[in-house]
Amino acid sequence: MTTGGFLYQKIKNSVFQNANLTKMQNIFPIRNVQIDQMPAGLKRMKADLKKVDCIIEVHDARIPFSGRNPLFHENLGIKPHLLVLNKMDLADLTEKERILRHLRYQDAKNVVFTDCVKDENIREMVPLITELIQASNRYQRSEALDYCIMVIGVPNVGKSSLINSLRRCHLKKGKASRVGGEPGITRAVLSSIQVSERPPMFLFDTPGVLSPQIATVETGMKLALCGTILDHLVGEDIMADYLLYTLNKKQKFSYVERYDLEEPCDDIENVLKKIAIKLNKTHKVKAFTGVGDINMIVPNYTAAAYDFIRTFRKGDLGKVMLD
Ligand SMILES: Nc1nc2c(ncn2[C@@H]2O[C@H](COP(=O)(O)OP(=O)(O)OP(=O)(O)O)[C@@H](O)[C@H]2O)c(=O)[nH]1
């Protein structure tokens, strides 16, 4: 058996590697990215930079190396920086040390893995941020007694969830920032939200900003599987194909048992058919024959693909590292 991914390979071969967004737009027609100009959200963040002491960049732990927006580093990189790799509950972290080494080699020296649903590793953040700020030059904020932090990241990685989780852990208070399963929930840079009393610490939530250039189709697929791009803009069938390819490549075969397959399979059509039958996701179509029309019941491939992707995102196909 091969790993599959035939649909994905076809797309990959049809565009140039390292293509810019103009070339990629057929595949990743991302709505909120403006080519050749800084996205409005980022402009606003840059303007607010003088009000903050530290930047927390949140990213998905399943893609520690892919899809981080380089514009963040270019435009906001002068402040102390903490990289939070969130959704650690969904990521296979058996190679955590290698990941940390590689990140250190890039630009990220301060990294924390978190789970904002179960509040894991959240309590270590306030002391770490305090340390980073105290070791830095706060310029015009050197007299300020409170600490202000900007939370940035691509859409849907858990920026609002992190703020809510910090508030739960340190202030025993509930939600202050809206959370949602789809990208684009946070629309504006909010006013500051308190997350700790001692030291007084305030966080700014910001809208997710994707990179205006997605370097490769593979990076785009990973970002899409992590839910940072709306599914229908990429296509559930292509995403499902890339997911099957990844699961086979990583030898994560729990989909076989879950969907009553006999063995691992590299043919997405076959897998989606089995999923549709198992979940009763079928629809009626009219077939035209020479002697009259007949109604046929056929598998609903899109619904099956959607279920496959959703099951992966919930972690029900096991913990996976996409990078
Ligand atoms: N499994 C898991 N899910 C998480 C975690 N953190 C956040 N989520 C979920 O991820 C989704 C997105 O969370 P948000 O906090 O809205 O993400 P965001 O980055 O603020 O999103 P935008 O406002 O779109 O940029 C929600 O469904 C959260 O419940 C986590 O640690 N583990």
mmCIF file with all atom_site columns, all heavy atoms in Angstrom, residues 6 28 31 60 67 89 95-96 107 110 120 135 165 168 176 206-207 212 219 227 236 249 257 293 306 313:
data_model
loop_
_atom_site.group_PDB
_atom_site.id
_atom_site.type_symbol
_atom_site.label_atom_id
_atom_site.label_alt_id
_atom_site.label_comp_id
_atom_site.label_asym_id
_atom_site.label_entity_id
_atom_site.label_seq_id
_atom_site.pdbx_PDB_ins_code
_atom_site.Cartn_x
_atom_site.Cartn_y
_atom_site.Cartn_z
_atom_site.occupancy
_atom_site.B_iso_or_equiv
_atom_site.pdbx_formal_charge
_atom_site.auth_seq_id
_atom_site.auth_comp_id
_atom_site.auth_asym_id
_atom_site.auth_atom_id
_atom_site.pdbx_PDB_model_num
ATOM 1   N N   . PHE A 1 6   ? -3.563  11.061 -3.373  1.00 0.00 ? 6   PHE A N   1
ATOM 2   C CA  . PHE A 1 6   ? -3.470  11.267 -4.830  1.00 0.00 ? 6   PHE A CA  1
ATOM 3   C C   . PHE A 1 6   ? -4.037  12.625 -5.255  1.00 0.00 ? 6   PHE A C   1
ATOM 4   O O   . PHE A 1 6   ? -3.474  13.311 -6.087  1.00 0.00 ? 6   PHE A O   1
ATOM 5   C CB  . PHE A 1 6   ? -4.186  10.134 -5.574  1.00 0.00 ? 6   PHE A CB  1
ATOM 6   C CG  . PHE A 1 6   ? -3.623  8.780  -5.210  1.00 0.00 ? 6   PHE A CG  1
ATOM 7   C CD1 . PHE A 1 6   ? -4.414  7.807  -4.630  1.00 0.00 ? 6   PHE A CD1 1
ATOM 8   C CD2 . PHE A 1 6   ? -2.271  8.506  -5.417  1.00 0.00 ? 6   PHE A CD2 1
ATOM 9   C CE1 . PHE A 1 6   ? -3.881  6.579  -4.273  1.00 0.00 ? 6   PHE A CE1 1
ATOM 10  C CE2 . PHE A 1 6   ? -1.737  7.281  -5.056  1.00 0.00 ? 6   PHE A CE2 1
ATOM 11  C CZ  . PHE A 1 6   ? -2.542  6.311  -4.482  1.00 0.00 ? 6   PHE A CZ  1
ATOM 12  N N   . PHE A 1 28  ? -6.123  28.185 -2.265  1.00 0.00 ? 28  PHE A N   1
ATOM 13  C CA  . PHE A 1 28  ? -6.351  28.798 -0.964  1.00 0.00 ? 28  PHE A CA  1
ATOM 14  C C   . PHE A 1 28  ? -6.873  30.222 -1.138  1.00 0.00 ? 28  PHE A C   1
ATOM 15  O O   . PHE A 1 28  ? -6.145  31.180 -0.919  1.00 0.00 ? 28  PHE A O   1
ATOM 16  C CB  . PHE A 1 28  ? -5.068  28.798 -0.133  1.00 0.00 ? 28  PHE A CB  1
ATOM 17  C CG  . PHE A 1 28  ? -4.606  27.410 0.187   1.00 0.00 ? 28  PHE A CG  1
ATOM 18  C CD1 . PHE A 1 28  ? -3.458  26.903 -0.355  1.00 0.00 ? 28  PHE A CD1 1
ATOM 19  C CD2 . PHE A 1 28  ? -5.372  26.601 1.013   1.00 0.00 ? 28  PHE A CD2 1
ATOM 20  C CE1 . PHE A 1 28  ? -3.060  25.612 -0.072  1.00 0.00 ? 28  PHE A CE1 1
ATOM 21  C CE2 . PHE A 1 28  ? -4.972  25.315 1.293   1.00 0.00 ? 28  PHE A CE2 1
ATOM 22  C CZ  . PHE A 1 28  ? -3.815  24.813 0.749   1.00 0.00 ? 28  PHE A CZ  1
ATOM 23  N N   . ARG A 1 31  ? -9.937  34.732 2.348   1.00 0.00 ? 31  ARG A N   1
ATOM 24  C CA  . ARG A 1 31  ? -10.652 35.992 2.229   1.00 0.00 ? 31  ARG A CA  1
ATOM 25  C C   . ARG A 1 31  ? -9.955  37.153 2.905   1.00 0.00 ? 31  ARG A C   1
ATOM 26  O O   . ARG A 1 31  ? -9.890  38.234 2.367   1.00 0.00 ? 31  ARG A O   1
ATOM 27  C CB  . ARG A 1 31  ? -12.036 35.852 2.859   1.00 0.00 ? 31  ARG A CB  1
ATOM 28  C CG  . ARG A 1 31  ? -12.991 35.107 1.984   1.00 0.00 ? 31  ARG A CG  1
ATOM 29  C CD  . ARG A 1 31  ? -14.312 35.072 2.653   1.00 0.00 ? 31  ARG A CD  1
ATOM 30  N NE  . ARG A 1 31  ? -14.136 34.791 4.086   1.00 0.00 ? 31  ARG A NE  1
ATOM 31  C CZ  . ARG A 1 31  ? -15.132 34.606 4.897   1.00 0.00 ? 31  ARG A CZ  1
ATOM 32  N NH1 . ARG A 1 31  ? -16.345 34.688 4.479   1.00 0.00 ? 31  ARG A NH1 1
ATOM 33  N NH2 . ARG A 1 31  ? -14.924 34.343 6.167   1.00 0.00 ? 31  ARG A NH2 1
ATOM 34  N N   . ASP A 1 60  ? -0.590  26.446 16.769  1.00 0.00 ? 60  ASP A N   1
ATOM 35  C CA  . ASP A 1 60  ? -1.104  25.097 16.991  1.00 0.00 ? 60  ASP A CA  1
ATOM 36  C C   . ASP A 1 60  ? 0.062   24.128 17.185  1.00 0.00 ? 60  ASP A C   1
ATOM 37  O O   . ASP A 1 60  ? 0.977   24.075 16.354  1.00 0.00 ? 60  ASP A O   1
ATOM 38  C CB  . ASP A 1 60  ? -1.956  24.699 15.771  1.00 0.00 ? 60  ASP A CB  1
ATOM 39  C CG  . ASP A 1 60  ? -2.817  23.487 16.040  1.00 0.00 ? 60  ASP A CG  1
ATOM 40  O OD1 . ASP A 1 60  ? -2.246  22.433 16.412  1.00 0.00 ? 60  ASP A OD1 1
ATOM 41  O OD2 . ASP A 1 60  ? -4.045  23.579 15.902  1.00 0.00 ? 60  ASP A OD2 1
ATOM 42  N N   . GLY A 1 67  ? 3.389   27.528 9.064   1.00 0.00 ? 67  GLY A N   1
ATOM 43  C CA  . GLY A 1 67  ? 2.230   28.419 9.050   1.00 0.00 ? 67  GLY A CA  1
ATOM 44  C C   . GLY A 1 67  ? 2.272   29.572 10.018  1.00 0.00 ? 67  GLY A C   1
ATOM 45  O O   . GLY A 1 67  ? 1.306   30.330 10.091  1.00 0.00 ? 67  GLY A O   1
ATOM 46  N N   . ASP A 1 89  ? -3.004  18.714 23.643  1.00 0.00 ? 89  ASP A N   1
ATOM 47  C CA  . ASP A 1 89  ? -3.771  17.477 23.829  1.00 0.00 ? 89  ASP A CA  1
ATOM 48  C C   . ASP A 1 89  ? -4.005  16.756 22.500  1.00 0.00 ? 89  ASP A C   1
ATOM 49  O O   . ASP A 1 89  ? -4.320  15.569 22.480  1.00 0.00 ? 89  ASP A O   1
ATOM 50  C CB  . ASP A 1 89  ? -5.121  17.780 24.506  1.00 0.00 ? 89  ASP A CB  1
ATOM 51  C CG  . ASP A 1 89  ? -5.900  18.877 23.788  1.00 0.00 ? 89  ASP A CG  1
ATOM 52  O OD1 . ASP A 1 89  ? -5.323  19.961 23.543  1.00 0.00 ? 89  ASP A OD1 1
ATOM 53  O OD2 . ASP A 1 89  ? -7.080  18.645 23.457  1.00 0.00 ? 89  ASP A OD2 1
ATOM 54  N N   . GLU A 1 95  ? 8.360   13.671 20.154  1.00 0.00 ? 95  GLU A N   1
ATOM 55  C CA  . GLU A 1 95  ? 9.651   14.268 19.783  1.00 0.00 ? 95  GLU A CA  1
ATOM 56  C C   . GLU A 1 95  ? 9.751   15.718 20.243  1.00 0.00 ? 95  GLU A C   1
ATOM 57  O O   . GLU A 1 95  ? 10.299  16.571 19.546  1.00 0.00 ? 95  GLU A O   1
ATOM 58  C CB  . GLU A 1 95  ? 9.834   14.177 18.271  1.00 0.00 ? 95  GLU A CB  1
ATOM 59  C CG  . GLU A 1 95  ? 10.017  12.751 17.807  1.00 0.00 ? 95  GLU A CG  1
ATOM 60  C CD  . GLU A 1 95  ? 10.632  12.702 16.429  1.00 0.00 ? 95  GLU A CD  1
ATOM 61  O OE1 . GLU A 1 95  ? 11.845  12.922 16.326  1.00 0.00 ? 95  GLU A OE1 1
ATOM 62  O OE2 . GLU A 1 95  ? 9.876   12.482 15.480  1.00 0.00 ? 95  GLU A OE2 1
ATOM 63  N N   . LYS A 1 96  ? 9.234   15.953 21.431  1.00 0.00 ? 96  LYS A N   1
ATOM 64  C CA  . LYS A 1 96  ? 9.185   17.322 21.962  1.00 0.00 ? 96  LYS A CA  1
ATOM 65  C C   . LYS A 1 96  ? 10.564  17.991 22.024  1.00 0.00 ? 96  LYS A C   1
ATOM 66  O O   . LYS A 1 96  ? 10.715  19.155 21.659  1.00 0.00 ? 96  LYS A O   1
ATOM 67  C CB  . LYS A 1 96  ? 8.575   17.252 23.369  1.00 0.00 ? 96  LYS A CB  1
ATOM 68  C CG  . LYS A 1 96  ? 8.239   18.575 23.950  1.00 0.00 ? 96  LYS A CG  1
ATOM 69  C CD  . LYS A 1 96  ? 7.445   18.353 25.219  1.00 0.00 ? 96  LYS A CD  1
ATOM 70  C CE  . LYS A 1 96  ? 7.431   19.588 26.065  1.00 0.00 ? 96  LYS A CE  1
ATOM 71  N NZ  . LYS A 1 96  ? 6.760   19.379 27.340  1.00 0.00 ? 96  LYS A NZ  1
ATOM 72  N N   . ASP A 1 107 ? 13.735  31.204 15.780  1.00 0.00 ? 107 ASP A N   1
ATOM 73  C CA  . ASP A 1 107 ? 13.797  32.436 16.570  1.00 0.00 ? 107 ASP A CA  1
ATOM 74  C C   . ASP A 1 107 ? 13.159  32.271 17.941  1.00 0.00 ? 107 ASP A C   1
ATOM 75  O O   . ASP A 1 107 ? 13.216  33.159 18.760  1.00 0.00 ? 107 ASP A O   1
ATOM 76  C CB  . ASP A 1 107 ? 13.055  33.555 15.808  1.00 0.00 ? 107 ASP A CB  1
ATOM 77  C CG  . ASP A 1 107 ? 11.612  33.173 15.544  1.00 0.00 ? 107 ASP A CG  1
ATOM 78  O OD1 . ASP A 1 107 ? 11.336  31.964 15.452  1.00 0.00 ? 107 ASP A OD1 1
ATOM 79  O OD2 . ASP A 1 107 ? 10.768  34.057 15.432  1.00 0.00 ? 107 ASP A OD2 1
ATOM 80  N N   . ASN A 1 110 ? 11.695  30.966 23.913  1.00 0.00 ? 110 ASN A N   1
ATOM 81  C CA  . ASN A 1 110 ? 10.782  30.730 25.046  1.00 0.00 ? 110 ASN A CA  1
ATOM 82  C C   . ASN A 1 110 ? 9.512   30.075 24.517  1.00 0.00 ? 110 ASN A C   1
ATOM 83  O O   . ASN A 1 110 ? 8.735   30.711 23.814  1.00 0.00 ? 110 ASN A O   1
ATOM 84  C CB  . ASN A 1 110 ? 10.441  32.068 25.707  1.00 0.00 ? 110 ASN A CB  1
ATOM 85  C CG  . ASN A 1 110 ? 11.692  32.858 26.027  1.00 0.00 ? 110 ASN A CG  1
ATOM 86  O OD1 . ASN A 1 110 ? 12.519  32.421 26.820  1.00 0.00 ? 110 ASN A OD1 1
ATOM 87  N ND2 . ASN A 1 110 ? 11.859  33.998 25.381  1.00 0.00 ? 110 ASN A ND2 1
ATOM 88  N N   . GLU A 1 120 ? -3.908  23.107 31.087  1.00 0.00 ? 120 GLU A N   1
ATOM 89  C CA  . GLU A 1 120 ? -2.594  22.482 31.355  1.00 0.00 ? 120 GLU A CA  1
ATOM 90  C C   . GLU A 1 120 ? -1.441  23.418 31.016  1.00 0.00 ? 120 GLU A C   1
ATOM 91  O O   . GLU A 1 120 ? -1.442  24.040 29.945  1.00 0.00 ? 120 GLU A O   1
ATOM 92  C CB  . GLU A 1 120 ? -2.469  21.187 30.558  1.00 0.00 ? 120 GLU A CB  1
ATOM 93  C CG  . GLU A 1 120 ? -2.774  19.996 31.442  1.00 0.00 ? 120 GLU A CG  1
ATOM 94  C CD  . GLU A 1 120 ? -2.443  18.692 30.781  1.00 0.00 ? 120 GLU A CD  1
ATOM 95  O OE1 . GLU A 1 120 ? -1.253  18.394 30.610  1.00 0.00 ? 120 GLU A OE1 1
ATOM 96  O OE2 . GLU A 1 120 ? -3.413  17.994 30.437  1.00 0.00 ? 120 GLU A OE2 1
ATOM 97  N N   . ALA A 1 135 ? 13.521  41.239 32.439  1.00 0.00 ? 135 ALA A N   1
ATOM 98  C CA  . ALA A 1 135 ? 14.852  41.190 31.823  1.00 0.00 ? 135 ALA A CA  1
ATOM 99  C C   . ALA A 1 135 ? 14.947  42.073 30.582  1.00 0.00 ? 135 ALA A C   1
ATOM 100 O O   . ALA A 1 135 ? 15.988  42.132 29.937  1.00 0.00 ? 135 ALA A O   1
ATOM 101 C CB  . ALA A 1 135 ? 15.169  39.743 31.446  1.00 0.00 ? 135 ALA A CB  1
ATOM 102 N N   . SER A 1 165 ? -8.465  30.928 29.858  1.00 0.00 ? 165 SER A N   1
ATOM 103 C CA  . SER A 1 165 ? -7.839  29.928 30.716  1.00 0.00 ? 165 SER A CA  1
ATOM 104 C C   . SER A 1 165 ? -6.975  30.595 31.803  1.00 0.00 ? 165 SER A C   1
ATOM 105 O O   . SER A 1 165 ? -7.013  30.201 32.979  1.00 0.00 ? 165 SER A O   1
ATOM 106 C CB  . SER A 1 165 ? -6.989  29.002 29.842  1.00 0.00 ? 165 SER A CB  1
ATOM 107 O OG  . SER A 1 165 ? -6.305  28.074 30.602  1.00 0.00 ? 165 SER A OG  1
ATOM 108 N N   . ARG A 1 168 ? -9.236  31.930 34.410  1.00 0.00 ? 168 ARG A N   1
ATOM 109 C CA  . ARG A 1 168 ? -9.767  30.861 35.272  1.00 0.00 ? 168 ARG A CA  1
ATOM 110 C C   . ARG A 1 168 ? -8.736  30.485 36.327  1.00 0.00 ? 168 ARG A C   1
ATOM 111 O O   . ARG A 1 168 ? -9.039  30.333 37.503  1.00 0.00 ? 168 ARG A O   1
ATOM 112 C CB  . ARG A 1 168 ? -10.047 29.616 34.426  1.00 0.00 ? 168 ARG A CB  1
ATOM 113 C CG  . ARG A 1 168 ? -11.454 29.500 33.921  1.00 0.00 ? 168 ARG A CG  1
ATOM 114 C CD  . ARG A 1 168 ? -11.751 28.095 33.428  1.00 0.00 ? 168 ARG A CD  1
ATOM 115 N NE  . ARG A 1 168 ? -10.859 27.545 32.442  1.00 0.00 ? 168 ARG A NE  1
ATOM 116 C CZ  . ARG A 1 168 ? -10.976 27.716 31.123  1.00 0.00 ? 168 ARG A CZ  1
ATOM 117 N NH1 . ARG A 1 168 ? -11.939 28.448 30.632  1.00 0.00 ? 168 ARG A NH1 1
ATOM 118 N NH2 . ARG A 1 168 ? -10.120 27.155 30.293  1.00 0.00 ? 168 ARG A NH2 1
ATOM 119 N N   . ALA A 1 176 ? -13.841 36.084 29.124  1.00 0.00 ? 176 ALA A N   1
ATOM 120 C CA  . ALA A 1 176 ? -13.836 37.512 28.793  1.00 0.00 ? 176 ALA A CA  1
ATOM 121 C C   . ALA A 1 176 ? -13.729 37.681 27.288  1.00 0.00 ? 176 ALA A C   1
ATOM 122 O O   . ALA A 1 176 ? -13.998 38.728 26.754  1.00 0.00 ? 176 ALA A O   1
ATOM 123 C CB  . ALA A 1 176 ? -12.661 38.193 29.471  1.00 0.00 ? 176 ALA A CB  1
ATOM 124 N N   . THR A 1 206 ? -6.343  39.686 19.909  1.00 0.00 ? 206 THR A N   1
ATOM 125 C CA  . THR A 1 206 ? -6.286  40.285 18.566  1.00 0.00 ? 206 THR A CA  1
ATOM 126 C C   . THR A 1 206 ? -6.917  39.323 17.561  1.00 0.00 ? 206 THR A C   1
ATOM 127 O O   . THR A 1 206 ? -6.974  38.119 17.810  1.00 0.00 ? 206 THR A O   1
ATOM 128 C CB  . THR A 1 206 ? -4.819  40.540 18.135  1.00 0.00 ? 206 THR A CB  1
ATOM 129 O OG1 . THR A 1 206 ? -4.146  39.277 18.034  1.00 0.00 ? 206 THR A OG1 1
ATOM 130 C CG2 . THR A 1 206 ? -4.079  41.436 19.108  1.00 0.00 ? 206 THR A CG2 1
ATOM 131 N N   . PRO A 1 207 ? -7.371  39.831 16.428  1.00 0.00 ? 207 PRO A N   1
ATOM 132 C CA  . PRO A 1 207 ? -7.918  38.911 15.421  1.00 0.00 ? 207 PRO A CA  1
ATOM 133 C C   . PRO A 1 207 ? -6.801  38.072 14.810  1.00 0.00 ? 207 PRO A C   1
ATOM 134 O O   . PRO A 1 207 ? -5.662  38.545 14.703  1.00 0.00 ? 207 PRO A O   1
ATOM 135 C CB  . PRO A 1 207 ? -8.522  39.846 14.367  1.00 0.00 ? 207 PRO A CB  1
ATOM 136 C CG  . PRO A 1 207 ? -8.103  41.219 14.702  1.00 0.00 ? 207 PRO A CG  1
ATOM 137 C CD  . PRO A 1 207 ? -7.398  41.227 16.023  1.00 0.00 ? 207 PRO A CD  1
ATOM 138 N N   . PRO A 1 212 ? 0.391   36.430 4.448   1.00 0.00 ? 212 PRO A N   1
ATOM 139 C CA  . PRO A 1 212 ? -0.054  36.704 3.076   1.00 0.00 ? 212 PRO A CA  1
ATOM 140 C C   . PRO A 1 212 ? 0.577   35.758 2.063   1.00 0.00 ? 212 PRO A C   1
ATOM 141 O O   . PRO A 1 212 ? 0.141   35.680 0.940   1.00 0.00 ? 212 PRO A O   1
ATOM 142 C CB  . PRO A 1 212 ? 0.371   38.151 2.839   1.00 0.00 ? 212 PRO A CB  1
ATOM 143 C CG  . PRO A 1 212 ? 1.405   38.433 3.855   1.00 0.00 ? 212 PRO A CG  1
ATOM 144 C CD  . PRO A 1 212 ? 1.208   37.496 5.006   1.00 0.00 ? 212 PRO A CD  1
ATOM 145 N N   . THR A 1 219 ? 1.915   23.268 3.420   1.00 0.00 ? 219 THR A N   1
ATOM 146 C CA  . THR A 1 219 ? 1.665   24.160 4.555   1.00 0.00 ? 219 THR A CA  1
ATOM 147 C C   . THR A 1 219 ? 0.204   24.585 4.576   1.00 0.00 ? 219 THR A C   1
ATOM 148 O O   . THR A 1 219 ? -0.438  24.605 5.630   1.00 0.00 ? 219 THR A O   1
ATOM 149 C CB  . THR A 1 219 ? 2.573   25.415 4.456   1.00 0.00 ? 219 THR A CB  1
ATOM 150 O OG1 . THR A 1 219 ? 3.920   24.982 4.502   1.00 0.00 ? 219 THR A OG1 1
ATOM 151 C CG2 . THR A 1 219 ? 2.324   26.396 5.587   1.00 0.00 ? 219 THR A CG2 1
ATOM 152 N N   . GLY A 1 227 ? -7.769  23.945 11.077  1.00 0.00 ? 227 GLY A N   1
ATOM 153 C CA  . GLY A 1 227 ? -8.951  24.812 11.188  1.00 0.00 ? 227 GLY A CA  1
ATOM 154 C C   . GLY A 1 227 ? -8.639  26.298 11.134  1.00 0.00 ? 227 GLY A C   1
ATOM 155 O O   . GLY A 1 227 ? -9.442  27.113 11.573  1.00 0.00 ? 227 GLY A O   1
ATOM 156 N N   . GLU A 1 236 ? -13.432 20.103 1.331   1.00 0.00 ? 236 GLU A N   1
ATOM 157 C CA  . GLU A 1 236 ? -13.355 19.012 2.304   1.00 0.00 ? 236 GLU A CA  1
ATOM 158 C C   . GLU A 1 236 ? -12.740 17.756 1.695   1.00 0.00 ? 236 GLU A C   1
ATOM 159 O O   . GLU A 1 236 ? -12.035 17.007 2.364   1.00 0.00 ? 236 GLU A O   1
ATOM 160 C CB  . GLU A 1 236 ? -14.743 18.667 2.864   1.00 0.00 ? 236 GLU A CB  1
ATOM 161 C CG  . GLU A 1 236 ? -15.301 19.640 3.874   1.00 0.00 ? 236 GLU A CG  1
ATOM 162 C CD  . GLU A 1 236 ? -16.051 20.807 3.240   1.00 0.00 ? 236 GLU A CD  1
ATOM 163 O OE1 . GLU A 1 236 ? -15.970 20.956 1.996   1.00 0.00 ? 236 GLU A OE1 1
ATOM 164 O OE2 . GLU A 1 236 ? -16.695 21.574 3.981   1.00 0.00 ? 236 GLU A OE2 1
ATOM 165 N N   . LYS A 1 249 ? 1.161   8.015  6.387   1.00 0.00 ? 249 LYS A N   1
ATOM 166 C CA  . LYS A 1 249 ? 2.601   8.306  6.463   1.00 0.00 ? 249 LYS A CA  1
ATOM 167 C C   . LYS A 1 249 ? 3.106   8.177  7.903   1.00 0.00 ? 249 LYS A C   1
ATOM 168 O O   . LYS A 1 249 ? 4.185   7.676  8.163   1.00 0.00 ? 249 LYS A O   1
ATOM 169 C CB  . LYS A 1 249 ? 2.843   9.719  5.942   1.00 0.00 ? 249 LYS A CB  1
ATOM 170 C CG  . LYS A 1 249 ? 4.273   9.983  5.534   1.00 0.00 ? 249 LYS A CG  1
ATOM 171 C CD  . LYS A 1 249 ? 4.419   11.265 4.743   1.00 0.00 ? 249 LYS A CD  1
ATOM 172 C CE  . LYS A 1 249 ? 4.214   12.462 5.616   1.00 0.00 ? 249 LYS A CE  1
ATOM 173 N NZ  . LYS A 1 249 ? 4.475   13.742 4.992   1.00 0.00 ? 249 LYS A NZ  1
ATOM 174 N N   . GLU A 1 257 ? -10.169 0.882  12.338  1.00 0.00 ? 257 GLU A N   1
ATOM 175 C CA  . GLU A 1 257 ? -11.147 0.297  13.256  1.00 0.00 ? 257 GLU A CA  1
ATOM 176 C C   . GLU A 1 257 ? -12.375 1.191  13.390  1.00 0.00 ? 257 GLU A C   1
ATOM 177 O O   . GLU A 1 257 ? -13.510 0.722  13.368  1.00 0.00 ? 257 GLU A O   1
ATOM 178 C CB  . GLU A 1 257 ? -10.480 0.092  14.614  1.00 0.00 ? 257 GLU A CB  1
ATOM 179 C CG  . GLU A 1 257 ? -11.242 -0.894 15.474  1.00 0.00 ? 257 GLU A CG  1
ATOM 180 C CD  . GLU A 1 257 ? -10.584 -1.023 16.835  1.00 0.00 ? 257 GLU A CD  1
ATOM 181 O OE1 . GLU A 1 257 ? -9.346  -0.931 16.912  1.00 0.00 ? 257 GLU A OE1 1
ATOM 182 O OE2 . GLU A 1 257 ? -11.333 -1.200 17.806  1.00 0.00 ? 257 GLU A OE2 1
ATOM 183 N N   . ASP A 1 293 ? -36.016 8.105  -15.970 1.00 0.00 ? 293 ASP A N   1
ATOM 184 C CA  . ASP A 1 293 ? -35.128 8.450  -14.861 1.00 0.00 ? 293 ASP A CA  1
ATOM 185 C C   . ASP A 1 293 ? -35.321 7.485  -13.695 1.00 0.00 ? 293 ASP A C   1
ATOM 186 O O   . ASP A 1 293 ? -36.428 7.026  -13.457 1.00 0.00 ? 293 ASP A O   1
ATOM 187 C CB  . ASP A 1 293 ? -35.449 9.864  -14.348 1.00 0.00 ? 293 ASP A CB  1
ATOM 188 C CG  . ASP A 1 293 ? -35.304 10.882 -15.459 1.00 0.00 ? 293 ASP A CG  1
ATOM 189 O OD1 . ASP A 1 293 ? -34.693 10.541 -16.488 1.00 0.00 ? 293 ASP A OD1 1
ATOM 190 O OD2 . ASP A 1 293 ? -35.822 11.998 -15.288 1.00 0.00 ? 293 ASP A OD2 1
ATOM 191 N N   . TYR A 1 306 ? -16.252 15.544 5.779   1.00 0.00 ? 306 TYR A N   1
ATOM 192 C CA  . TYR A 1 306 ? -16.397 16.468 6.894   1.00 0.00 ? 306 TYR A CA  1
ATOM 193 C C   . TYR A 1 306 ? -16.283 15.719 8.227   1.00 0.00 ? 306 TYR A C   1
ATOM 194 O O   . TYR A 1 306 ? -15.600 16.165 9.156   1.00 0.00 ? 306 TYR A O   1
ATOM 195 C CB  . TYR A 1 306 ? -17.727 17.215 6.779   1.00 0.00 ? 306 TYR A CB  1
ATOM 196 C CG  . TYR A 1 306 ? -17.942 18.208 7.888   1.00 0.00 ? 306 TYR A CG  1
ATOM 197 C CD1 . TYR A 1 306 ? -17.078 19.298 8.039   1.00 0.00 ? 306 TYR A CD1 1
ATOM 198 C CD2 . TYR A 1 306 ? -18.969 18.044 8.804   1.00 0.00 ? 306 TYR A CD2 1
ATOM 199 C CE1 . TYR A 1 306 ? -17.245 20.193 9.075   1.00 0.00 ? 306 TYR A CE1 1
ATOM 200 C CE2 . TYR A 1 306 ? -19.140 18.947 9.845   1.00 0.00 ? 306 TYR A CE2 1
ATOM 201 C CZ  . TYR A 1 306 ? -18.283 20.009 9.973   1.00 0.00 ? 306 TYR A CZ  1
ATOM 202 O OH  . TYR A 1 306 ? -18.432 20.888 11.012  1.00 0.00 ? 306 TYR A OH  1
ATOM 203 N N   . ARG A 1 313 ? -9.919  16.430 14.161  1.00 0.00 ? 313 ARG A N   1
ATOM 204 C CA  . ARG A 1 313 ? -9.736  17.663 14.946  1.00 0.00 ? 313 ARG A CA  1
ATOM 205 C C   . ARG A 1 313 ? -10.099 17.469 16.411  1.00 0.00 ? 313 ARG A C   1
ATOM 206 O O   . ARG A 1 313 ? -9.550  18.138 17.279  1.00 0.00 ? 313 ARG A O   1
ATOM 207 C CB  . ARG A 1 313 ? -10.606 18.781 14.362  1.00 0.00 ? 313 ARG A CB  1
ATOM 208 C CG  . ARG A 1 313 ? -10.013 19.343 13.091  1.00 0.00 ? 313 ARG A CG  1
ATOM 209 C CD  . ARG A 1 313 ? -10.796 20.548 12.645  1.00 0.00 ? 313 ARG A CD  1
ATOM 210 N NE  . ARG A 1 313 ? -10.298 21.066 11.392  1.00 0.00 ? 313 ARG A NE  1
ATOM 211 C CZ  . ARG A 1 313 ? -11.052 21.608 10.465  1.00 0.00 ? 313 ARG A CZ  1
ATOM 212 N NH1 . ARG A 1 313 ? -12.358 21.711 10.638  1.00 0.00 ? 313 ARG A NH1 1
ATOM 213 N NH2 . ARG A 1 313 ? -10.521 22.066 9.351   1.00 0.00 ? 313 ARG A NH2 1
#
